Amino acid sequence: MQVDFYHLTRTPVDRALPGIALRIVDGGGRLLVISGDEQQRARIDQALWTWRADSFLPHARAGAGNDAIQPVLIGDTVDPANGARFIALIDGAWRDEALAFDRAFHFFGDDSIAAARTAWKSLADRDGVERRYWKQDEQGGWTQAA
């Protein structure tokens, strides 16, 4: 299981997540997006509709329809009703339930660096967990730092 830590220094999560979601969906996968913040969930919902002028990512908010058919499901609890094997934690809070997925994307900003460091350290000795740390460069691209 792989955990990718994304340190957001230049781009907000509502601009960083859609590209990852697109790669997952295009590859036939499903994604569960988790945030404990209702306003953030609403922003991600909107961003997935409008992130590119020529396309949108099919998605829904948990409980708003048939969750099981959604390629991308946005919710506040780790319940992969859409059968997702990928999870994005976008509110800066790590959840150990993410370890049940094939791959987790943990997004955090400068306001949650301490919590991300704690999560990074707690995963160091877990069997079968591969950690990667991504940081944005000056141009807003992603560079693997660890």
Side-chain angles (χ1 to χ4, degrees), residues 69-83:
I69 67 168
Q70 301 303 327
V72 179
L73 188 63
I74 304 165
D76 63 345
T77 61
V78 181
D79 177 16
N82 65 341

Side-chain angles (χ1 to χ4, degrees), residues 3-146:
V3 180
D4 291 296
F5 286 75
Y6 280 85
H7 186 179
L8 301 164
T9 57
R10 298 196 168 275
T11 304
V13 71
D14 52 315
R15 287 190 29 228
L17 178 67
I20 290 170
L22 178 64
R23 286 193 297 277
I24 291 169
V25 172
D26 281 353
R30 291 176 177 235
L31 176 66
L32 179 62
V33 179
I34 300 297
S35 176
D37 180 336
E38 168 60 31
Q39 291 179 345
Q40 186 179 45
R41 289 192 306 272
R43 286 191 308 271
I44 284 295
D45 183 17
Q46 184 63 33
L48 293 176
W49 285 113
T50 62
W51 76 287
R52 276 192 177 163
D54 62 342
S55 68
F56 73 97
L57 281 162
H59 69 282
R61 298 192 50 187
N66 189 348
D67 292 353
I69 67 168
Q70 301 303 327
V72 179
L73 188 63
I74 304 165
D76 63 345
T77 61
V78 181
D79 177 16
N82 65 341
R85 297 303 312 144
F86 300 89
I87 187 168
L89 307 172
I90 65 169
D91 59 3
W94 173 254
R95 294 155 179 87
D96 276 343
E97 298 92 340
L99 296 173
F101 291 75
D102 294 340
R103 189 170 180 184
F105 302 89
H106 180 44
F107 292 90
F108 64 96
D110 289 339
D111 59 337
S112 53
I113 287 177
R117 284 183 182 144
T118 299
W120 177 268
K121 289 176 186 176
S122 76
L123 296 173
D125 297 326
R126 301 262 181 122
D127 286 337
V129 176
E130 178 184 341
R131 303 168 302 157
R132 294 183 184 170
Y133 176 82
W134 301 87
K135 187 170 183 172
Q136 287 186 291
D137 59 27
E138 293 299 317
Q139 293 74 36
W142 293 99
T143 304
Q144 186 174 346

